[in-house]
Amino acid sequence: MASAETRYADPTALHGFARALDACHDAAAPGALVASGDGWVIASTARLPGGVPVPGGAGAAVAMAGGAPAAPAEVLEAFADGLVRLHREAVRGVLDAAVARLDQRRSEGANLLNRQLVQGAVADVALVLSEAEDLLALADPTAGRRRHVHRRLVTAGRAALQLHGASGFVATGPGSLLHLTELLGNTYLHPGER
């Protein structure tokens, strides 16, 4: 079974991400699925048959409303911790793939990765990833800290996606994965916010 710390060799691997999401459910509540504060459950199609496809999820993840009793606070917190770590790993995978891609591309006789603006964008995303790792390692995690990390990762993920150029926004690009991470965070970490 994949762990929440799984690295993504292919950042577009939505099915691998969905399996890692299932692992987050199992780590927080073995054998069960964790519902958000609003009663939504998001998991892989294998774990949640009958769920409706998540927009942009390419059929890898589905959602279902209601039916699940509210989980104890410690279960919700453990799941939220795993979810934020999974989000961080996804952004890291998208950044790594962008750097590898840019290192292979040349324009006007120069390697794209060596351009100052590109290096600045890579550094900005890497800084957010480092900050997220440090914040997640602090004792006594709070809901506010998780929401802060999620918001910063959303911004960093969008910046990493732009480094892919147009290929980041095609159906098979990493945009779908990042969209799913944003949706998960908005569902589980920001319940009740409109």
Side-chain angles (χ1 to χ4, degrees), residues 65-113:
E74 61 270 14
V75 170
L76 290 173
E77 290 175 6
F79 183 73
D81 286 340
L83 203 58
V84 175
R85 287 187 175 86
L86 189 60
H87 188 175
R88 184 190 173 281
E89 288 300 312
V91 173
R92 176 62 190 263
V94 171
L95 178 64
D96 288 349
V99 167
R101 185 171 189 275
L102 291 167
D103 192 39
Q104 299 299 315
R105 298 189 58 137
R106 298 180 67 80
S107 177
E108 299 176 2
N111 181 310
L112 290 179
L113 191 57

Side-chain angles (χ1 to χ4, degrees), residues 31-162:
L33 293 172
V34 179
S36 73
D38 291 336
W40 284 93
V41 175
I42 302 175
S44 74
T45 53
R47 285 292 301 274
L48 193 58
V52 296
V54 173
V62 293
M64 187 176 288
E74 61 270 14
V75 170
L76 290 173
E77 290 175 6
F79 183 73
D81 286 340
L83 203 58
V84 175
R85 287 187 175 86
L86 189 60
H87 188 175
R88 184 190 173 281
E89 288 300 312
V91 173
R92 176 62 190 263
V94 171
L95 178 64
D96 288 349
V99 167
R101 185 171 189 275
L102 291 167
D103 192 39
Q104 299 299 315
R105 298 189 58 137
R106 298 180 67 80
S107 177
E108 299 176 2
N111 181 310
L112 290 179
L113 191 57
N114 290 333
R115 303 233 167 154
Q116 186 174 9
L117 287 176
V118 171
Q119 289 179 344
V122 169
D124 287 344
V125 175
L127 183 61
V128 171
L129 291 170
S130 179
E131 175 193 53
E133 185 174 2
D134 290 345
L135 288 173
L136 293 172
L138 292 174
D140 301 323
T142 64
R145 188 182 309 151
R146 289 184 204 100
R147 286 193 298 271
H148 170 78
V149 171
H150 172 250
R151 288 186 182 112
R152 297 274 292 149
L153 288 173
V154 166
T155 301
R158 291 179 181 184
L161 185 61
Q162 290 176 345

Side-chain angles (χ1 to χ4, degrees), residues 3-72:
S3 77
E5 299 299 322
T6 300
R7 287 286 176 136
Y8 301 98
D10 176 5
T12 64
L14 285 171
H15 290 279
F17 181 84
R19 286 190 297 274
L21 173 61
D22 290 347
C24 286
H25 282 288
D26 285 335
L33 293 172
V34 179
S36 73
D38 291 336
W40 284 93
V41 175
I42 302 175
S44 74
T45 53
R47 285 292 301 274
L48 193 58
V52 296
V54 173
V62 293
M64 187 176 288

